[in-house]
Short mmCIF file of all heavy atoms in Angstrom, two decimals:
data_model
loop_
_atom_site.label_atom_id
_atom_site.label_comp_id
_atom_site.label_asym_id
_atom_site.label_seq_id
_atom_site.Cartn_x
_atom_site.Cartn_y
_atom_site.Cartn_z
N HIS Q 1 0.25 4.38 2.74
CA HIS Q 1 0.39 3.46 3.88
C HIS Q 1 -0.85 2.46 3.71
O HIS Q 1 -2.00 2.92 3.73
CB HIS Q 1 0.45 4.16 5.19
CG HIS Q 1 0.59 3.24 6.33
ND1 HIS Q 1 1.68 2.56 6.58
CD2 HIS Q 1 -0.34 2.87 7.26
CE1 HIS Q 1 1.53 1.81 7.66
NE2 HIS Q 1 0.29 2.01 8.05
N THR Q 2 -0.61 1.18 3.80
CA THR Q 2 -1.61 0.13 3.75
C THR Q 2 -1.40 -0.75 5.04
O THR Q 2 -0.31 -1.10 5.40
CB THR Q 2 -1.47 -0.68 2.57
OG1 THR Q 2 -1.65 0.19 1.36
CG2 THR Q 2 -2.45 -1.77 2.44
N GLU Q 3 -2.59 -0.99 5.62
CA GLU Q 3 -2.60 -1.97 6.71
C GLU Q 3 -3.59 -3.11 6.39
O GLU Q 3 -4.65 -2.92 5.79
CB GLU Q 3 -3.12 -1.28 8.02
CG GLU Q 3 -2.08 -0.20 8.52
CD GLU Q 3 -2.45 0.34 9.88
OE1 GLU Q 3 -3.69 0.16 10.24
OE2 GLU Q 3 -1.68 1.04 10.42
N VAL Q 4 -3.26 -4.27 6.83
CA VAL Q 4 -4.06 -5.62 6.71
C VAL Q 4 -4.38 -6.04 8.13
O VAL Q 4 -3.38 -6.33 8.80
CB VAL Q 4 -3.36 -6.56 5.76
CG1 VAL Q 4 -4.23 -7.74 5.57
CG2 VAL Q 4 -2.94 -5.96 4.45
N ARG Q 5 -5.61 -6.21 8.39
CA ARG Q 5 -5.99 -6.60 9.78
C ARG Q 5 -6.87 -7.79 9.51
O ARG Q 5 -7.68 -7.90 8.63
CB ARG Q 5 -6.71 -5.52 10.45
CG ARG Q 5 -5.81 -4.32 10.82
CD ARG Q 5 -6.53 -3.25 11.64
NE ARG Q 5 -5.59 -2.18 11.85
CZ ARG Q 5 -4.74 -2.13 12.94
NH1 ARG Q 5 -4.74 -3.05 13.80
NH2 ARG Q 5 -3.94 -1.12 12.99
N ASP Q 6 -6.78 -8.77 10.49
CA ASP Q 6 -7.76 -9.90 10.52
C ASP Q 6 -9.12 -9.47 11.23
O ASP Q 6 -9.28 -8.30 11.59
CB ASP Q 6 -7.14 -11.11 11.20
CG ASP Q 6 -6.91 -10.91 12.65
OD1 ASP Q 6 -7.42 -9.97 13.32
OD2 ASP Q 6 -6.24 -11.85 13.24
N ARG Q 7 -9.96 -10.34 11.27
CA ARG Q 7 -11.40 -10.12 11.74
C ARG Q 7 -11.31 -9.59 13.17
O ARG Q 7 -12.15 -8.70 13.61
CB ARG Q 7 -12.22 -11.36 11.67
CG ARG Q 7 -13.64 -11.21 12.01
CD ARG Q 7 -14.37 -12.47 11.85
NE ARG Q 7 -15.51 -12.20 11.01
CZ ARG Q 7 -16.35 -13.14 10.66
NH1 ARG Q 7 -16.13 -14.39 10.97
NH2 ARG Q 7 -17.44 -12.79 9.97
N SER Q 8 -10.37 -9.97 13.96
CA SER Q 8 -10.34 -9.41 15.31
C SER Q 8 -9.69 -8.06 15.46
O SER Q 8 -9.73 -7.46 16.54
CB SER Q 8 -9.44 -10.45 16.22
OG SER Q 8 -8.13 -10.40 15.84
N GLY Q 9 -9.21 -7.54 14.34
CA GLY Q 9 -8.59 -6.24 14.33
C GLY Q 9 -7.03 -6.26 14.49
O GLY Q 9 -6.34 -5.34 14.43
N GLU Q 10 -6.58 -7.54 14.60
CA GLU Q 10 -5.05 -7.73 14.76
C GLU Q 10 -4.38 -7.28 13.43
O GLU Q 10 -4.79 -7.66 12.42
CB GLU Q 10 -4.69 -9.12 15.09
CG GLU Q 10 -3.19 -9.37 15.20
CD GLU Q 10 -2.81 -10.83 15.31
OE1 GLU Q 10 -3.64 -11.74 15.42
OE2 GLU Q 10 -1.65 -11.11 15.36
N LEU Q 11 -3.34 -6.45 13.57
CA LEU Q 11 -2.53 -6.04 12.39
C LEU Q 11 -1.71 -7.30 11.98
O LEU Q 11 -0.85 -7.75 12.71
CB LEU Q 11 -1.72 -4.87 12.77
CG LEU Q 11 -0.85 -4.25 11.66
CD1 LEU Q 11 -1.75 -3.68 10.56
CD2 LEU Q 11 0.05 -3.16 12.16
N VAL Q 12 -1.91 -7.73 10.71
CA VAL Q 12 -1.18 -8.92 10.24
C VAL Q 12 -0.09 -8.50 9.23
O VAL Q 12 0.91 -9.18 9.03
CB VAL Q 12 -2.01 -10.01 9.74
CG1 VAL Q 12 -2.95 -10.62 10.78
CG2 VAL Q 12 -2.87 -9.48 8.53
N ALA Q 13 -0.22 -7.31 8.62
CA ALA Q 13 0.76 -6.81 7.69
C ALA Q 13 0.65 -5.32 7.51
O ALA Q 13 -0.52 -4.74 7.67
CB ALA Q 13 0.67 -7.48 6.37
N ALA Q 14 1.66 -4.63 7.19
CA ALA Q 14 1.67 -3.19 6.97
C ALA Q 14 2.69 -2.90 5.86
O ALA Q 14 3.71 -3.50 5.77
CB ALA Q 14 2.06 -2.39 8.10
N ALA Q 15 2.34 -1.99 5.02
CA ALA Q 15 3.21 -1.64 3.84
C ALA Q 15 3.14 -0.11 3.68
O ALA Q 15 2.19 0.57 3.78
CB ALA Q 15 2.79 -2.31 2.52
N ASP Q 16 4.40 0.40 3.34
CA ASP Q 16 4.59 1.77 2.79
C ASP Q 16 5.04 1.56 1.36
O ASP Q 16 6.07 0.93 1.21
CB ASP Q 16 5.58 2.57 3.61
CG ASP Q 16 4.91 2.92 4.96
OD1 ASP Q 16 3.67 3.33 5.00
OD2 ASP Q 16 5.69 2.87 5.97
N ILE Q 17 4.31 2.11 0.43
CA ILE Q 17 4.60 2.00 -0.96
C ILE Q 17 4.77 3.34 -1.60
O ILE Q 17 3.95 4.20 -1.48
CB ILE Q 17 3.47 1.17 -1.73
CG1 ILE Q 17 3.30 -0.17 -1.04
CG2 ILE Q 17 3.80 0.99 -3.18
CD1 ILE Q 17 2.14 -0.93 -1.52
N ASP Q 18 5.99 3.52 -2.23
CA ASP Q 18 6.28 4.72 -3.01
C ASP Q 18 5.85 4.50 -4.39
O ASP Q 18 6.32 3.55 -5.15
CB ASP Q 18 7.69 5.10 -2.93
CG ASP Q 18 8.13 5.57 -1.58
OD1 ASP Q 18 7.21 5.98 -0.71
OD2 ASP Q 18 9.33 5.48 -1.30
N TRP Q 19 4.98 5.39 -4.96
CA TRP Q 19 4.51 5.33 -6.34
C TRP Q 19 5.09 6.55 -7.10
O TRP Q 19 5.28 7.54 -6.64
CB TRP Q 19 2.98 5.41 -6.34
CG TRP Q 19 2.25 4.28 -5.66
CD1 TRP Q 19 2.04 4.18 -4.30
CD2 TRP Q 19 1.67 3.16 -6.28
NE1 TRP Q 19 1.30 3.09 -4.06
CE2 TRP Q 19 1.06 2.42 -5.22
CE3 TRP Q 19 1.60 2.76 -7.65
CZ2 TRP Q 19 0.40 1.24 -5.51
CZ3 TRP Q 19 0.93 1.57 -7.82
CH2 TRP Q 19 0.29 0.81 -6.80
N LEU Q 20 5.30 6.27 -8.35
CA LEU Q 20 5.87 7.29 -9.28
C LEU Q 20 4.95 7.41 -10.45
O LEU Q 20 4.55 6.44 -11.12
CB LEU Q 20 7.28 6.84 -9.82
CG LEU Q 20 8.02 7.83 -10.73
CD1 LEU Q 20 8.22 9.19 -10.06
CD2 LEU Q 20 9.30 7.25 -11.19
N LEU Q 21 4.46 8.64 -10.71
CA LEU Q 21 3.50 8.99 -11.82
C LEU Q 21 4.34 9.17 -13.15
O LEU Q 21 5.20 10.12 -13.11
CB LEU Q 21 2.69 10.16 -11.44
CG LEU Q 21 1.59 10.51 -12.43
CD1 LEU Q 21 0.51 9.37 -12.39
CD2 LEU Q 21 0.94 11.86 -12.03
N LEU Q 22 4.03 8.34 -14.10
CA LEU Q 22 4.90 8.48 -15.39
C LEU Q 22 3.82 8.74 -16.53
O LEU Q 22 2.73 8.41 -16.48
CB LEU Q 22 5.44 7.11 -15.66
CG LEU Q 22 6.53 6.65 -14.58
CD1 LEU Q 22 7.08 5.27 -14.95
CD2 LEU Q 22 7.63 7.63 -14.43
N ASN Q 23 4.45 9.36 -17.60
CA ASN Q 23 3.66 9.49 -18.82
C ASN Q 23 3.90 8.33 -19.74
O ASN Q 23 4.59 7.39 -19.45
CB ASN Q 23 3.98 10.84 -19.45
CG ASN Q 23 5.49 10.99 -19.91
OD1 ASN Q 23 6.14 9.99 -20.17
ND2 ASN Q 23 5.96 12.16 -20.11
N GLU Q 24 3.29 8.37 -20.91
CA GLU Q 24 3.43 7.30 -21.91
C GLU Q 24 4.84 6.93 -22.26
O GLU Q 24 5.12 5.88 -22.73
CB GLU Q 24 2.51 7.60 -23.14
CG GLU Q 24 1.07 7.67 -22.83
CD GLU Q 24 0.27 8.17 -23.96
OE1 GLU Q 24 0.77 9.04 -24.70
OE2 GLU Q 24 -0.84 7.67 -24.11
N ARG Q 25 5.68 7.90 -22.21
CA ARG Q 25 7.12 7.69 -22.57
C ARG Q 25 7.90 7.21 -21.43
O ARG Q 25 9.11 6.98 -21.49
CB ARG Q 25 7.81 9.01 -23.10
CG ARG Q 25 7.12 9.49 -24.36
CD ARG Q 25 7.69 10.84 -24.75
NE ARG Q 25 7.51 11.69 -23.58
CZ ARG Q 25 7.96 12.95 -23.51
NH1 ARG Q 25 8.76 13.45 -24.42
NH2 ARG Q 25 7.66 13.72 -22.47
N GLY Q 26 7.30 7.04 -20.21
CA GLY Q 26 8.04 6.46 -19.02
C GLY Q 26 8.79 7.63 -18.32
O GLY Q 26 9.58 7.27 -17.56
#
């Protein structure tokens, strides 16, 4: 989970990213 906030602390964007761990063969 990632949050991006401006200097005032206002939330300007949020993301949930699913990552997959792969080997050299994919």
